[in-house]
Amino acid sequence: MKNCLTDKAVIEFLSLVHTKERGIRKVRNESLLKLKSDDPELHETMTVKCVLNCRHISFVTSDQFWIGDRNCNFSLTNRKGDILCEMTDVCSGVGFHTVNDENELFYIDTENNIKKHSTDLKGPTIFIQTRDSTFVFLCLYWSSLTEELLVGMRGQLKDTFKVTRYSQDGQLKNTIQYNDKKLKLCQYPRFLTVNNNLDVVVSGPGAVVVADHEGRHRFSYTGHPSASAFLPQGLCTDALSNILVCETNTHTVQLIDMDGNFLFHLLIRPSGIFHPHNLRYDAKTHRLWVISFNKIYVYRYLTHKGILADQNFDNANGTNAKDQIPVSSTLKPQEEMVSLKEFKPPKLHHTFSVDGADRCIHISFVKPEHAWISDDKDNIIFTNSKGDNLHHVKRKSRNHGIHTVNSDSELIYIDKENNIKKLLKDKKATMIFLANNSKWRLLCIYWSEPTDSLLVGMSHKPLRYQQREPNMQDIQGLKIFKKSDGLVCNNVTRYNKTGEEIQTIQYDKTGQEMYRHPLYITENNNGDVVVSDNEEAIVVTDSRGIYRFTYTGHPPGSELPARGVCTDSLSNILIVDTKTKTVHMINQHGQFLGYLLKDLQEIENVSCLCYDVTDSRLWVGSWTNNKVTV
């Protein structure tokens, strides 16, 4: 039998076919995405005016979001930084709020209930009332995949916590008990999220713990092996089901896959951010929001695989890809090959104790074989290689590089009044080199002999709060007022020998601050300015103030409590690591060469370094006593 189709039958059949969307066919973004091969690109920076220490963020729309601080206040704001409304003293927990698909706000109140705010913001209603006083709510997450509210809570008994699921109407669906030993690697939940495969991902002190949808333990991520301790903070997942997590000790954003395998450090103490605290992934634009203090940084780290890319990906929010700024998050390998060799222990020349000093905080060398050494008891002592107390200056104690010596062998130091003074060569008189500037706190100084100029590291903290304007609205805890951004500014300023300001080094090429709190400063033979910053990293710029690299330890992304720093005749940079009690040596490009001092019993707790160019010797000061080892 021969089948035949009439024109009418074909038309009737096609009329039954329906399409949901007209236009050019597209492949789903998720199937086209891949990790960028180069560094993430900084797309946007926002300042949050309502809070000083942002801790958690929940998207409402592409332009509006709720953001909370460490004092459990939170505000509804937009990308411009406008404060739409604020809720104060009404919350508790850590990741204590979330937003559902209807843009309704859920948050943990001070009575350990979960409340819901409708979109009209007329007032909260109790969504879940506490019935079990043995558990305290800590964090929330709304899962759009399962249309459930997940609640992380901590028990009164040590190392007991659980995650519960609630339906849209507040009915308990199931509970994931974290009683297994593997699950107890995390002490309690601070933040939680749900991955695309429905895994429940929890971060807390000690680990990121992942369980499947039924509550079975899949894996616990306890950090990169290079770090000694793992203190995760905020986390999120992306379209590729990768897990991104902030880590406190190393100031990094770490990227692991859905099975818990470490991929790489996405960000390592990036300029401006310094301390990433929380993350949020924007599924519409495929960009990562990074929260630090009162700033939000938006990065692009995913790209499309091929030519079928969605045109809106690179043009999200009206920004072209060519306008985006590449950001260097990690140091790229240099073209030349460097031989990493095992250093032989340096030859001990001699050791002496400084008469009148309690310990050695900073050393400024004076030719020949003399030095100014400061301790933490208000002393700056002029000594020789025998440790004799030849002269001393009293000033208020500050435990970093507060003195230097100029080309005329004159001591220059920061006094207790925040002036920079110069002790003349005869040591009988002092003069003010730079008068007190009340806006800036002077932190460290270094005299540059090649340029006959003084480098000064300083910090400026504006007033945290402006005068509050009268509240125009005060409805059930909602308040509207303005605050200042409360930013802390830090820079390195160069002055000529007459005290005239000639250069300021503060921002990288993306406009972000490079310094968090300069403690020690020096200059390399190639003119690079080298700063030991906030006991976290070494930040290096060239002589023009252009950012070159940040060294965060070996391997990159390790914890580096750096203090004293100096350079040698070969332009290597030597750095005190107070945790491992070693001295790192890196070359002028930031590549790790080796540990110069390791397990050297003559030195107890290295704190500061100074290089004698004439005799090519390294002077090393101790934090715990008054000994100097050469």
Side-chain angles (χ1 to χ4, degrees):
M1 180 176 180
K2 192 172 182 180
N3 294 328
C4 297
L5 289 175
T6 64
D7 292 343
K8 183 178 179 180
V10 172
I11 293 172
E12 289 177 349
F13 173 77
L14 292 176
S15 68
L16 299 175
V17 179
H18 299 280
T19 59
K20 294 183 179 180
E21 183 180 358
R22 294 179 179 274
I24 301 174
R25 293 182 63 187
K26 300 178 182 179
V27 180
R28 284 175 57 87
N29 277 337
E30 289 77 3
S31 63
L32 294 171
L33 293 173
K34 66 176 182 179
L35 294 168
K36 287 173 88 284
S37 58
D38 53 356
D39 293 319
E41 297 171 350
L42 180 61
H43 169 73
E44 182 181 1
T45 302
M46 291 173 269
T47 299
V48 182
K49 300 176 182 178
C50 52
V51 294
L52 296 177
N53 288 281
C54 305
R55 285 297 184 264
H56 192 52
I57 186 171
S58 298
F59 289 141
V60 178
T61 66
S62 58
D63 181 62
Q64 296 182 5
F65 48 91
W66 288 95
I67 191 159
D69 65 14
R70 66 181 179 185
N71 296 320
C72 296
N73 307 310
F74 59 101
S75 302
L76 180 64
T77 184
N78 58 23
R79 300 174 83 102
K80 296 179 181 179
D82 301 325
I83 310 305
L84 306 180
C85 67
E86 182 178 69
M87 301 182 68
T88 60
D89 303 322
V90 295
C91 313
S92 65
V94 188
F96 57 84
H97 57 83
T98 188
V99 172
N100 67 7
D101 298 332
E102 284 72 41
N103 297 332
E104 296 172 314
L105 172 71
F106 294 88
Y107 68 92
I108 303 168
D109 72 4
T110 55
E111 302 298 324
N112 202 37
N113 300 309
I114 296 176
K115 289 186 176 179
K116 180 172 75 171
H117 248 296
S118 58
T119 53
D120 58 15
L121 297 176
K122 289 184 177 180
T125 59
I126 295 180
F127 182 72
I128 299 172
Q129 190 165 15
T130 302
R131 293 183 176 87
D132 185 359
S133 60
T134 61
F135 279 87
V136 178
F137 297 151
L138 292 180
C139 51
L140 304 175
Y141 181 77
W142 178 266
S143 171
S144 298
L145 296 172
T146 59
E147 295 186 338
E148 298 170 331
L149 178 69
L150 283 78
V151 183
M153 58 188 76
R154 181 181 187 177
Q156 292 181 354
L157 297 176
K158 185 180 179 181
D159 297 334
T160 60
F161 69 93
K162 61 184 178 180
V163 173
T164 55
R165 299 174 182 274
Y166 294 89
S167 63
Q168 295 186 69
D169 56 2
Q171 297 299 313
L172 178 64
K173 297 182 69 174
N174 73 336
T175 299
I176 302 175
Q177 294 283 354
Y178 288 76
N179 297 326
D180 187 273
K181 289 183 179 180
K182 295 179 180 178
L183 299 176
K184 285 185 178 181
L185 290 172
C186 174
Q187 297 177 19
Y188 57 87
R190 290 175 58 86
F191 300 93
L192 64 86
T193 189
V194 175
N195 212 339
N196 298 328
N197 61 353
L198 302 185
D199 281 355
V200 178
V201 187
V202 174
S203 76
V208 172
V209 179
V210 178
D212 66 15
H213 186 66
E214 302 301 323
R216 293 182 294 265
H217 177 258
R218 289 201 61 230
F219 64 87
S220 293
Y221 174 71
T222 56
H224 190 269
S226 64
S228 58
F230 184 59
L231 292 176
Q233 295 288 341
L235 79 168
C236 67
T237 61
D238 63 17
L240 302 180
S241 299
N242 295 317
I243 300 170
L244 300 94
V245 59
C246 296
E247 205 284 319
T248 299
N249 286 333
T250 58
H251 316 296
T252 58
V253 175
Q254 301 180 17
L255 187 71
I256 61 176
D257 65 19
M258 63 188 297
D259 297 314
N261 300 306
F262 175 82
L263 299 180
F264 53 84
H265 289 104
L266 184 67
L267 296 172
I268 301 177
R269 196 186 181 271
S271 296
I273 299 179
F274 304 120
H275 299 166
H277 186 83
N278 207 343
L279 308 169
R280 188 63 68 221
Y281 179 76
D282 186 346
K284 294 182 180 179
T285 62
H286 302 294
R287 293 193 171 101
L288 179 69
W289 290 37
V290 183
I291 303 170
S292 177
F293 298 99
N294 68 333
K295 288 275 193 176
I296 298 175
Y297 302 81
V298 183
Y299 286 92
R300 176 184 169 189
Y301 70 100
L302 297 177
T303 187
H304 276 139
K305 294 179 181 178
I307 60 175
L308 294 177
D310 183 357
Q311 296 176 356
N312 290 329
F313 186 87
D314 287 332
N315 297 317
N317 302 317
T319 302
N320 295 322
K322 65 180 181 180
D323 297 326
Q324 296 171 346
I325 307 170
V327 178
S328 179
S329 61
T330 57
L331 184 67
K332 293 296 181 184
Q334 302 298 316
E335 292 181 0
E336 67 269 17
M337 296 298 293
V338 178
S339 175
L340 301 183
K341 58 184 179 181
E342 186 81 20
F343 285 96
K344 295 181 179 179
K347 182 180 179 181
L348 177 62
H349 186 264
H350 73 286
T351 299
F352 62 90
S353 297
V354 181
D355 183 25
D358 179 66
R359 59 185 66 185
C360 300
I361 303 299
H362 185 50
I363 304 174
S364 296
F365 190 76
V366 184
K367 301 174 185 178
E369 291 200 349
H370 287 74
W372 288 94
I373 295 176
S374 56
D375 63 9
D376 63 341
K377 301 295 183 182
D378 304 342
N379 298 307
I380 306 177
I381 297 172
F382 184 58
T383 186
N384 54 23
S385 57
K386 297 179 181 180
D388 299 327
N389 189 336
L390 305 177
H391 192 84
H392 74 274
V393 174
K394 298 292 288 187
R395 50 97 52 223
K396 188 176 181 181
S397 175
R398 195 173 294 174
N399 295 334
H400 31 83
I402 49 88
H403 55 84
T404 187
V405 173
N406 65 11
S407 305
D408 298 322
S409 298
E410 298 170 318
L411 173 69
I412 299 177
Y413 65 97
I414 304 171
D415 73 2
K416 62 181 180 180
E417 306 297 334
N418 205 42
N419 301 304
I420 295 181
K421 286 186 176 179
K422 179 167 68 174
L423 178 66
L424 301 183
K425 198 170 184 179
D426 60 9
K427 300 180 181 59
K428 294 181 179 180
T430 60
M431 61 173 288
I432 293 180
F433 179 83
L434 193 65
N436 174 33
N437 185 331
S438 59
K439 294 182 179 180
W440 292 90
R441 184 188 184 206
L442 308 182
L443 300 174
C444 55
I445 56 179
Y446 179 80
W447 185 267
S448 167
E449 288 198 17
T451 60
D452 240 10
S453 61
L454 182 69
L455 292 163
V456 183
M458 57 185 73
S459 176
H460 170 49
K461 184 178 293 187
L463 293 175
R464 290 200 168 199
Y465 295 91
Q466 297 174 354
Q467 182 68 35
R468 290 194 178 194
E469 297 180 355
N471 289 332
M472 302 302 295
Q473 178 182 351
D474 190 349
I475 302 176
Q476 299 186 21
L478 296 179
K479 296 180 181 180
I480 297 178
F481 58 82
K482 294 182 179 180
K483 291 182 183 178
S484 70
D485 57 18
L487 288 177
V488 179
C489 305
N490 297 269
N491 69 36
V492 172
T493 303
R494 190 188 297 268
Y495 298 88
N496 63 20
K497 58 183 179 180
T498 63
E500 178 186 359
E501 182 179 329
I502 56 177
Q503 183 188 24
T504 299
I505 305 172
Q506 185 170 359
Y507 303 104
D508 66 8
K509 61 183 178 182
T510 69
Q512 305 306 315
E513 292 214 26
M514 292 184 289
Y515 308 116
R516 182 66 189 153
H517 195 74
L519 294 179
Y520 293 86
I521 187 168
T522 189
E523 188 178 57
N524 213 339
N525 299 329
N526 60 357
D528 283 355
V529 177
V530 183
V531 173
S532 178
D533 192 27
N534 203 41
E535 298 190 49
E536 297 169 354
I538 301 298
V539 180
V540 179
T541 65
D542 66 15
S543 59
R544 299 166 295 173
I546 298 175
Y547 175 79
R548 290 201 61 219
F549 64 86
T550 296
Y551 176 73
T552 58
H554 178 69
S558 304
E559 183 181 358
L560 180 66
R563 287 194 63 83
V565 63
C566 71
T567 60
D568 65 17
S569 300
L570 301 178
S571 300
N572 297 316
I573 302 171
L574 299 102
I575 307 151
V576 171
D577 179 347
T578 59
K579 183 175 182 179
T580 60
K581 302 178 183 179
T582 58
V583 173
H584 296 224
M585 177 182 281
I586 62 175
N587 67 12
Q588 62 181 315
H589 304 299
Q591 292 175 309
F592 177 78
L593 300 179
Y595 296 108
L596 184 64
L597 298 175
K598 193 173 183 180
D599 301 324
L600 200 60
Q601 296 180 358
E602 291 83 0
I603 307 175
E604 185 177 353
N605 294 328
V606 180
S607 63
C608 56
L609 306 169
C610 187
Y611 184 74
D612 174 4
V613 179
T614 304
D615 295 326
S616 299
R617 290 173 182 159
L618 182 67
W619 291 42
V620 183
S622 171
W623 176 264
T624 54
N625 55 46
N626 64 346
K627 287 186 177 181
V628 174
T629 304
V630 182

